[in-house]
Short mmCIF file of all heavy atoms in Angstrom, two decimals:
data_model
loop_
_atom_site.label_atom_id
_atom_site.label_comp_id
_atom_site.label_asym_id
_atom_site.label_seq_id
_atom_site.Cartn_x
_atom_site.Cartn_y
_atom_site.Cartn_z
N PRO A 54 24.69 28.84 -8.48
CA PRO A 54 25.64 27.76 -8.18
C PRO A 54 25.16 26.81 -7.07
O PRO A 54 25.31 25.60 -7.18
CB PRO A 54 26.91 28.51 -7.77
CG PRO A 54 26.80 29.82 -8.50
CD PRO A 54 25.34 30.16 -8.47
N ALA A 55 24.56 27.37 -6.02
CA ALA A 55 24.04 26.53 -4.93
C ALA A 55 22.87 25.68 -5.42
O ALA A 55 22.76 24.49 -5.07
CB ALA A 55 23.59 27.40 -3.75
N ILE A 56 21.99 26.27 -6.22
CA ILE A 56 20.84 25.53 -6.76
C ILE A 56 21.30 24.39 -7.65
O ILE A 56 20.82 23.25 -7.56
CB ILE A 56 19.89 26.49 -7.52
CG1 ILE A 56 19.25 27.48 -6.53
CG2 ILE A 56 18.83 25.72 -8.29
CD1 ILE A 56 18.52 28.63 -7.19
N LYS A 57 22.28 24.68 -8.51
CA LYS A 57 22.82 23.66 -9.42
C LYS A 57 23.42 22.49 -8.65
O LYS A 57 23.22 21.33 -8.99
CB LYS A 57 23.86 24.32 -10.33
CG LYS A 57 24.14 23.57 -11.59
CD LYS A 57 24.84 24.42 -12.63
CE LYS A 57 26.15 24.97 -12.12
NZ LYS A 57 26.97 25.57 -13.16
N THR A 58 24.14 22.81 -7.58
CA THR A 58 24.73 21.77 -6.72
C THR A 58 23.63 20.91 -6.10
O THR A 58 23.75 19.68 -6.05
CB THR A 58 25.61 22.40 -5.63
OG1 THR A 58 26.68 23.10 -6.26
CG2 THR A 58 26.18 21.35 -4.69
N SER A 59 22.56 21.54 -5.64
CA SER A 59 21.45 20.79 -5.04
C SER A 59 20.82 19.85 -6.05
O SER A 59 20.56 18.68 -5.74
CB SER A 59 20.39 21.75 -4.49
OG SER A 59 20.90 22.49 -3.42
N PHE A 60 20.60 20.32 -7.27
CA PHE A 60 20.04 19.45 -8.31
C PHE A 60 20.95 18.24 -8.54
O PHE A 60 20.48 17.11 -8.65
CB PHE A 60 19.84 20.21 -9.62
CG PHE A 60 18.52 20.93 -9.72
CD1 PHE A 60 18.49 22.31 -9.89
CD2 PHE A 60 17.32 20.25 -9.67
CE1 PHE A 60 17.29 22.99 -9.99
CE2 PHE A 60 16.11 20.91 -9.78
CZ PHE A 60 16.09 22.29 -9.93
N ARG A 61 22.24 18.50 -8.59
CA ARG A 61 23.19 17.41 -8.83
C ARG A 61 23.10 16.37 -7.71
O ARG A 61 23.09 15.16 -7.96
CB ARG A 61 24.61 17.99 -8.92
CG ARG A 61 25.61 17.03 -9.55
CD ARG A 61 26.99 17.67 -9.74
NE ARG A 61 26.95 18.88 -10.54
CZ ARG A 61 27.37 20.08 -10.13
NH1 ARG A 61 27.89 20.23 -8.92
NH2 ARG A 61 27.32 21.12 -10.91
N GLN A 62 23.01 16.84 -6.46
CA GLN A 62 22.93 15.93 -5.32
C GLN A 62 21.61 15.16 -5.30
O GLN A 62 21.57 13.99 -4.91
CB GLN A 62 23.10 16.70 -4.01
CG GLN A 62 24.51 17.23 -3.83
CD GLN A 62 24.64 18.20 -2.66
OE1 GLN A 62 23.66 18.77 -2.18
NE2 GLN A 62 25.87 18.42 -2.22
N ILE A 63 20.53 15.79 -5.73
CA ILE A 63 19.20 15.14 -5.75
C ILE A 63 19.11 14.17 -6.93
O ILE A 63 18.41 13.16 -6.86
CB ILE A 63 18.09 16.21 -5.84
CG1 ILE A 63 18.06 17.04 -4.55
CG2 ILE A 63 16.72 15.58 -6.07
CD1 ILE A 63 17.29 18.35 -4.68
N GLY A 64 19.82 14.48 -8.01
CA GLY A 64 19.80 13.61 -9.19
C GLY A 64 18.74 14.00 -10.21
O GLY A 64 18.23 13.16 -10.95
N ILE A 65 18.43 15.29 -10.25
CA ILE A 65 17.47 15.82 -11.21
C ILE A 65 18.14 16.95 -11.98
O ILE A 65 18.93 17.70 -11.40
CB ILE A 65 16.20 16.33 -10.49
CG1 ILE A 65 15.41 15.13 -9.94
CG2 ILE A 65 15.30 17.14 -11.41
CD1 ILE A 65 14.20 15.51 -9.14
N PHE A 66 17.81 17.07 -13.26
CA PHE A 66 18.34 18.18 -14.06
C PHE A 66 17.30 19.29 -14.13
O PHE A 66 16.09 19.01 -14.15
CB PHE A 66 18.67 17.70 -15.49
CG PHE A 66 19.81 16.73 -15.55
CD1 PHE A 66 19.57 15.38 -15.70
CD2 PHE A 66 21.12 17.18 -15.44
CE1 PHE A 66 20.62 14.47 -15.75
CE2 PHE A 66 22.19 16.29 -15.50
CZ PHE A 66 21.94 14.94 -15.65
N PRO A 67 17.73 20.54 -14.19
CA PRO A 67 16.77 21.65 -14.30
C PRO A 67 15.80 21.50 -15.46
O PRO A 67 14.65 21.91 -15.36
CB PRO A 67 17.67 22.88 -14.47
CG PRO A 67 18.94 22.51 -13.76
CD PRO A 67 19.11 21.04 -14.04
N ASN A 68 16.23 20.87 -16.57
CA ASN A 68 15.31 20.72 -17.70
C ASN A 68 14.26 19.64 -17.45
O ASN A 68 13.38 19.42 -18.29
CB ASN A 68 16.05 20.50 -19.02
CG ASN A 68 16.79 19.18 -19.08
OD1 ASN A 68 16.74 18.38 -18.15
ND2 ASN A 68 17.48 18.95 -20.17
N GLU A 69 14.33 18.96 -16.30
CA GLU A 69 13.29 18.00 -15.90
C GLU A 69 12.21 18.66 -15.04
O GLU A 69 11.23 18.02 -14.68
CB GLU A 69 13.92 16.84 -15.15
CG GLU A 69 14.84 15.98 -16.00
CD GLU A 69 15.51 14.88 -15.20
OE1 GLU A 69 16.48 15.18 -14.48
OE2 GLU A 69 15.04 13.73 -15.27
N VAL A 70 12.40 19.93 -14.72
CA VAL A 70 11.39 20.67 -13.95
C VAL A 70 10.27 21.05 -14.91
O VAL A 70 10.50 21.67 -15.94
CB VAL A 70 12.01 21.93 -13.31
CG1 VAL A 70 10.93 22.83 -12.69
CG2 VAL A 70 13.05 21.53 -12.25
N ASP A 71 9.03 20.64 -14.57
CA ASP A 71 7.91 20.91 -15.48
C ASP A 71 7.06 22.09 -15.04
O ASP A 71 6.28 22.62 -15.83
CB ASP A 71 7.04 19.65 -15.65
CG ASP A 71 6.57 19.09 -14.32
OD1 ASP A 71 5.65 19.67 -13.72
OD2 ASP A 71 7.13 18.05 -13.89
N THR A 72 7.18 22.52 -13.78
CA THR A 72 6.35 23.60 -13.28
C THR A 72 7.15 24.52 -12.37
O THR A 72 7.90 24.04 -11.52
CB THR A 72 5.14 23.05 -12.49
OG1 THR A 72 4.44 22.10 -13.30
CG2 THR A 72 4.19 24.16 -12.06
N ILE A 73 6.99 25.82 -12.57
CA ILE A 73 7.53 26.82 -11.65
C ILE A 73 6.33 27.53 -11.03
O ILE A 73 5.44 28.00 -11.75
CB ILE A 73 8.36 27.90 -12.38
CG1 ILE A 73 9.51 27.29 -13.17
CG2 ILE A 73 8.84 28.97 -11.40
CD1 ILE A 73 10.68 26.84 -12.38
N ILE A 74 6.30 27.60 -9.71
CA ILE A 74 5.30 28.42 -9.02
C ILE A 74 6.02 29.62 -8.46
O ILE A 74 6.97 29.48 -7.68
CB ILE A 74 4.59 27.65 -7.89
CG1 ILE A 74 3.91 26.40 -8.42
CG2 ILE A 74 3.59 28.57 -7.18
CD1 ILE A 74 3.33 25.49 -7.34
N LEU A 75 5.60 30.80 -8.87
CA LEU A 75 6.17 32.03 -8.32
C LEU A 75 5.26 32.53 -7.21
O LEU A 75 4.07 32.76 -7.43
CB LEU A 75 6.31 33.09 -9.41
CG LEU A 75 7.27 32.76 -10.55
CD1 LEU A 75 7.23 33.85 -11.61
CD2 LEU A 75 8.69 32.55 -10.04
N THR A 76 5.83 32.70 -6.02
CA THR A 76 5.02 33.23 -4.92
C THR A 76 4.62 34.67 -5.23
O THR A 76 3.57 35.13 -4.81
CB THR A 76 5.75 33.16 -3.57
OG1 THR A 76 6.98 33.90 -3.66
CG2 THR A 76 6.04 31.72 -3.18
N HIS A 77 5.47 35.35 -5.98
CA HIS A 77 5.17 36.68 -6.52
C HIS A 77 6.26 36.99 -7.54
O HIS A 77 7.17 36.19 -7.74
CB HIS A 77 5.07 37.76 -5.43
CG HIS A 77 6.30 37.94 -4.61
ND1 HIS A 77 6.81 36.95 -3.80
CD2 HIS A 77 7.12 39.00 -4.46
CE1 HIS A 77 7.90 37.39 -3.19
NE2 HIS A 77 8.12 38.63 -3.57
N THR A 78 6.17 38.14 -8.20
CA THR A 78 7.03 38.38 -9.36
C THR A 78 8.19 39.34 -9.11
O THR A 78 8.77 39.86 -10.07
CB THR A 78 6.17 38.89 -10.54
OG1 THR A 78 5.48 40.07 -10.13
CG2 THR A 78 5.16 37.84 -10.97
N HIS A 79 8.58 39.56 -7.87
CA HIS A 79 9.75 40.40 -7.61
C HIS A 79 11.01 39.69 -8.09
O HIS A 79 11.10 38.46 -8.04
CB HIS A 79 9.85 40.74 -6.12
CG HIS A 79 8.74 41.63 -5.64
ND1 HIS A 79 8.53 41.91 -4.31
CD2 HIS A 79 7.77 42.31 -6.33
CE1 HIS A 79 7.48 42.73 -4.19
NE2 HIS A 79 7.01 42.97 -5.40
N SER A 80 11.98 40.46 -8.54
CA SER A 80 13.15 39.90 -9.23
C SER A 80 13.98 38.94 -8.36
O SER A 80 14.64 38.05 -8.90
CB SER A 80 14.04 41.03 -9.75
OG SER A 80 14.50 41.83 -8.68
N ASP A 81 13.94 39.09 -7.03
CA ASP A 81 14.73 38.18 -6.18
C ASP A 81 14.09 36.79 -6.10
O ASP A 81 14.68 35.87 -5.53
CB ASP A 81 14.94 38.77 -4.78
CG ASP A 81 13.66 39.19 -4.09
OD1 ASP A 81 12.76 39.74 -4.76
OD2 ASP A 81 13.55 38.98 -2.87
N HIS A 82 12.91 36.62 -6.70
CA HIS A 82 12.24 35.31 -6.74
C HIS A 82 12.17 34.75 -8.16
O HIS A 82 11.81 33.60 -8.34
CB HIS A 82 10.82 35.43 -6.17
CG HIS A 82 10.80 35.78 -4.72
ND1 HIS A 82 10.50 34.88 -3.72
CD2 HIS A 82 11.06 36.95 -4.08
CE1 HIS A 82 10.57 35.47 -2.54
NE2 HIS A 82 10.92 36.73 -2.73
N THR A 83 12.50 35.56 -9.15
CA THR A 83 12.32 35.16 -10.56
C THR A 83 13.62 35.13 -11.36
O THR A 83 13.59 34.93 -12.57
CB THR A 83 11.35 36.13 -11.26
OG1 THR A 83 11.93 37.44 -11.29
CG2 THR A 83 10.00 36.18 -10.55
N GLY A 84 14.75 35.31 -10.71
CA GLY A 84 16.02 35.53 -11.41
C GLY A 84 16.55 34.38 -12.23
O GLY A 84 17.44 34.57 -13.07
N ASN A 85 16.04 33.17 -12.01
CA ASN A 85 16.55 32.01 -12.76
C ASN A 85 15.50 31.35 -13.64
O ASN A 85 15.64 30.19 -14.02
CB ASN A 85 17.13 30.98 -11.78
CG ASN A 85 18.42 31.47 -11.15
OD1 ASN A 85 19.35 31.87 -11.84
ND2 ASN A 85 18.47 31.47 -9.83
#
Side-chain angles (χ1 to χ4, degrees):
I56 293 169
K57 200 163 58 169
T58 298
S59 294
F60 274 120
R61 197 175 303 122
Q62 291 170 342
I63 294 163
I65 290 176
F66 293 102
N68 67 2
E69 294 177 281
V70 172
D71 54 76
T72 306
I73 303 284
I74 301 173
L75 296 176
T76 59
H77 59 297
T78 57
H79 293 171
S80 61
D81 54 320
H82 295 255
T83 64
N85 290 307

